[in-house]
RNA sequence: GGAGAAAUGGCAGAGUGGUCGAAUGCGGCAGUCUUGAAAACUGUUGAGGGUCACACCUCCGGGGGUUCGAAUCCCUCUUUCUCCGCCA
């Protein structure tokens, strides 16, 4: 969430920038400032009351010690009144603070200067493209047909066991999946990201920390009995490792990578756009997460973008990079680059990675701080990106690498797979 | 799942109703000494709110209660440890 101080200092700039998200932020920001004023005012009054009450209590203590019980009794009546007052003030403070918090949760992050205005994905800005779209054989099929033909992914079996959107990977399909996970993790480790394994279920506080809660709870599977959420992305557990931490400046940059399955309820639509691997309730993803010094976060973002480019280059997949417009930008993000692979057989682009800088927005929720050179606590910046999401990469490989009599395996993956062709 | 014990500052660990935001040790930082380092000695060292700066307020796992006053007493939740049971 946004910091009050920043809202006070840059209100007009924020209003302008939030217009790119098609939000009229003026009333929200004004209300936040008004609530904060009220909060401060109430706090000051409460502090004074408590201070008086504290000093009286000390006096009473002294009087009892020196045997002046009667005088103490007189003072006791006074503190009784103060107690009432402070109770009222403290209740007011709690409710004002809650109201302020709720309001702040509703205000999205401020888009970066470079973020284009716009409403839909049509308005996203292509900033880079690379790789040749292959000429496919005339009998080329979309990946869900290929999956069936070579018996490597079984969607119906998944329906039987669980439901739609939970595929079963078989044989070389399963092996290719595992190969991709290993390959991505290795590439990330090579680039300096420390591999970690994290829980796949998180508590409510973690959901709030990274911004899935309170508004997007419908997106996550909730285990009611234990009040836990299945993670929609590794971002949630990994970033929450740092919740409430005050780190040392020399610990920057913090770079983690984690493989996890991801679970998304998303009441999805039906049809060709979500067929096969295009949209799933459970899928695998390798994520990269960074915690950075505020002065370095955009440099880090660029680094992450280059890193993902390298992987796609090695896989020899045709892809493009988009800078998301204000309307498509995630609630907590300042700047996001989406990576899309071209699926030749489907003749469309598939999103396979999203790399974002959240600046201090998540940190403020997480209370993730560091000590700067003056010994002051400051919020760190957090970033994350997929490196990479499995299903659509898999779809891209299956479709773009298909030949007359099978599917070839990208060269870099052969050592991981132990075979060079699916047939 | 059953029985018991515990949760205090970066760590260890005192503190069982009143100047306790908290002894002491270790660690960290600064200084003295030293060519330099180590050792020794001296000082300093939690977070948040608030203030120009002070003052002041809050926080001893979370929440609630008793009391003029709570780290300390009561209730509750969570977590950890020990023993038993079960188990990949």
């Amino acid at each position: 969430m946004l910091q009050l101080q920043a809202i006070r200092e840059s209100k007009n700039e924020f209003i302008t920038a939030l217009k790119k998200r098609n939000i009229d932020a003026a009333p929200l920001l004004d209300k936040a400032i008004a609530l904060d004023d009220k909060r401060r005012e109430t706090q000051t009054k409460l502090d004074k009351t408590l201070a008086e009450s504290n000093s009286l209590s000390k006096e009473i203590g002294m009087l009892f010690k020196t045997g002046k019980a009667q005088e103490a009794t007189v003072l006791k009546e006074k503190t009784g009144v103060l107690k009432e007052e402070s109770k009222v003030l403290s209740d007011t403070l709690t409710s004002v603070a809650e109201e302020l918090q709720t309001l702040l949760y509703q205000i999205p992050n401020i888009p970066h200067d470079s973020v284009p205005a716009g409403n839909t994905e049509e308005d996203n800005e292509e900033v880079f493209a690379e790789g040749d779209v292959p000429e496919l054989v005339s009998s080329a099929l979309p990946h869900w047909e290929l999956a069936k033909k070579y018996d490597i992914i079984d969607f119906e079996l998944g329906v039987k066991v669980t439901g739609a959107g939970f595929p079963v990977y078989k044989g070389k399909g399963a092996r290719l999946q595992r190969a991709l996970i290993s390959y991505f993790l290795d590439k990330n480790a090579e680039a300096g990201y420390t591999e970690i394994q994290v829980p796949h279920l998180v508590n409510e506080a973690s959901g709030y920390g990274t911004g899935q809660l309170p508004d997007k709870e419908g997106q996550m599977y909730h285990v009611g009995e234990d009040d836990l959420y299945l993670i929609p992305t590794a971002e949630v557990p990994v970033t929450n490792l740092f919740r409430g931490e005050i780190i040392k400046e020399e610990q920057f940059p913090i770079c983690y990578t984690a493989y996890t399955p991801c679970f998304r309820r998303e009441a999805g639509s039906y049809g060709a756009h979500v067929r096969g691997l295009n949209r799933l309730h459970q899928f695998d993803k390798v994520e990269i997460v960074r915690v950075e010094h505020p002065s370095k976060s955009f440099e880090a973002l660029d680094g992450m973008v280059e890193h993902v480019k390298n992987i796609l280059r090695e896989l020899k997949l045709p892809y493009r990079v988009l800078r998301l417009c204000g309307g498509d930008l995630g609630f907590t993000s300042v700047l996001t680059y989406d990576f899309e692979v071209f699926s030749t057989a489907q003749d469309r682009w598939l999103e396979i990675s999203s790399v974002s800088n959240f600046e201090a927005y998540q940190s403020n929720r997480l209370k993730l701080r560091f000590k700067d050179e003056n010994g002051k606590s400051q919020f760190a910046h957090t970033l994350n990106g997929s490196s990479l999401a499995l299903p659509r990469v898999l779809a891209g490989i299956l479709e773009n690498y298909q030949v007359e009599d099978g599917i070839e395996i990208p060269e870099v993956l052969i050592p991981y797979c132990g075979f060079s062709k699916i047939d």
Side-chain angles (χ1 to χ4, degrees):
Chain A
M1 62 192 171
L2 299 177
Q3 293 162 259
L4 257 318
Q5 204 191 336
I7 294 178
R8 284 177 186 279
E9 283 168 8
S10 321
K11 191 178 94 179
N12 292 328
E13 291 89 321
F14 283 10
I15 290 170
T16 311
L18 284 169
K19 278 189 185 138
K20 288 199 270 191
R21 289 188 185 266
N22 312 306
I23 290 171
D24 177 16
L28 293 172
L29 298 185
D30 283 335
K31 193 170 177 202
I33 291 172
L35 280 171
D36 190 45
D37 285 340
K38 177 125 190 248
R39 199 209 91 234
R40 284 198 204 182
E41 186 195 321
T42 314
Q43 179 82 60
T44 309
K45 277 191 202 158
L46 176 62
D47 284 358
K48 276 191 186 150
T49 312
L50 288 174
E52 205 175 325
S53 172
N54 283 346
S55 74
L56 280 177
S57 287
K58 278 178 189 166
E59 246 179 88
I60 291 170
M62 293 304 286
L63 289 172
F64 272 121
K65 263 190 191 166
T66 49
K68 297 175 182 163
Q70 278 190 336
E71 290 177 44
T73 313
V74 177
L75 289 184
K76 271 195 193 184
E77 282 174 30
K78 270 194 188 171
T79 57
V81 176
L82 290 173
K83 208 179 170 187
E84 299 271 310
E85 281 176 23
S86 66
K87 177 95 178 83
V88 173
L89 285 167
S90 143
D91 286 349
T92 309
L93 184 64
T94 308
S95 74
V96 171
E98 262 172 30
E99 202 182 335
L100 178 59
Q101 178 88 332
T102 306
L103 179 68
L104 288 175
Y105 276 148
Q106 288 164 19
I107 306 173
N109 208 347
I110 308 301
H112 190 255
D113 280 345
S114 68
V115 170
N119 295 315
T120 65
E121 46 187 67
E122 305 291 306
D123 301 312
N124 294 336
E125 180 190 338
E126 181 174 321
V127 292
F128 189 81
E130 192 178 17
D132 297 322
V133 175
E135 295 249 347
L136 293 187
V137 293
S138 55
S139 60
L141 297 168
H143 70 266
W144 53 89
E145 302 281 356
L146 293 167
K148 199 167 218 169
K149 183 173 171 188
Y150 298 106
D151 197 24
I152 50 174
I153 307 171
D154 196 323
F155 294 97
E156 281 81 28
L157 261 186
V159 171
K160 177 163 87 177
V161 175
T162 306
F166 293 89
V168 173
Y169 301 87
K170 296 160 83 176
K172 285 184 173 176
R175 183 66 188 263
L176 178 54
Q177 181 91 345
R178 181 156 59 89
L180 280 166
I181 293 166
S182 294
Y183 166 68
F184 292 150
L185 284 171
D186 283 357
K187 292 302 289 180
N188 297 343
E190 226 173 82
Y193 294 88
T194 304
E195 181 177 343
I196 52 166
Q197 293 194 7
V198 290
H200 299 166
L201 279 82
V202 294
N203 56 29
E204 197 180 44
S206 293
Y208 275 96
T210 32
Q212 279 68 31
L213 297 175
D215 1 295
K216 283 175 258 165
E217 43 207 329
Q219 199 189 78
M220 291 192 285
Y221 287 97
H222 182 227
V223 183
E225 187 95 10
D226 300 290
D227 199 16
L228 295 172
Y229 295 87
L230 274 72
I231 56 170
T233 158
E235 165 197 349
V236 180
V238 176
T239 310
N240 272 284
L241 296 175
F242 299 97
R243 173 151 46 84
E245 296 290 316
I246 299 177
I247 60 180
K248 296 204 172 84
E249 203 169 345
E250 58 266 26
Q251 284 177 266
F252 290 127
I254 295 170
C255 306
Y256 277 138
T257 183
Y259 152 71
T260 68
C262 302
F263 302 92
R264 299 201 179 166
R265 288 186 67 227
E266 22 199 299
S269 55
Y270 289 89
H273 277 296
V274 297
R275 276 195 86 164
L277 296 171
N278 289 349
R279 194 177 314 167
L280 300 170
H281 286 306
Q282 179 182 330
F283 63 96
D284 292 305
K285 183 157 61 66
V286 176
E287 187 80 358
I288 49 179
V289 172
R290 296 177 70 140
V291 180
E292 289 282 350
H293 190 279
S295 67
K296 294 274 171 61
S297 64
F298 281 98
E299 203 178 296
L301 182 68
D302 290 342
M304 291 163 81
V305 168
E306 286 309 312
H307 174 64
V308 176
K309 279 183 187 172
N310 279 330
I311 293 177
L312 290 166
R313 211 170 274 147
E314 274 199 5
L315 287 173
K316 296 199 169 87
L317 288 169
Y319 72 95
R320 65 177 184 180
V321 183
L322 304 172
R323 189 179 359 239
L324 295 191
C325 72
D328 215 19
L329 189 65
F331 192 81
T332 54
S333 177
V334 167
L335 178 58
T336 296
Y337 292 103
D338 268 12
F339 281 71
E340 296 183 336
V341 152
F342 191 72
S343 155
T344 315
Q346 292 183 68
D347 191 30
R348 59 184 280 247
W349 294 94
L350 302 175
E351 185 194 329
I352 49 157
S353 174
S354 196
V355 183
S356 305
N357 186 359
F358 305 99
E359 290 196 330
Y361 195 90
Q362 284 185 331
S363 292
N364 190 12
R365 287 195 176 187
L366 293 160
K367 303 296 169 227
L368 162 52
R369 291 159 295 184
F370 70 97
K371 289 269 188 212
D372 66 17
E373 61 273 21
N374 303 318
K376 280 270 212 176
S377 291
Q378 267 194 61
F379 289 119
H381 283 191
T382 59
L383 304 97
N384 70 51
S386 352
S387 177
L388 286 155
L390 274 278
R392 296 179 192 155
V393 171
L394 187 59
I397 290 173
L398 295 179
E399 292 176 359
N400 289 341
Y401 276 85
Q402 61 182 310
V403 291
E404 199 71 58
D405 58 344
I407 298 154
E408 294 183 324
I409 299 296
E411 215 178 313
V412 286
L413 292 179
I414 295 173
Y416 288 93
C417 283
F419 53 85
S420 59
K421 197 169 187 180
I422 295 170
D423 47 20

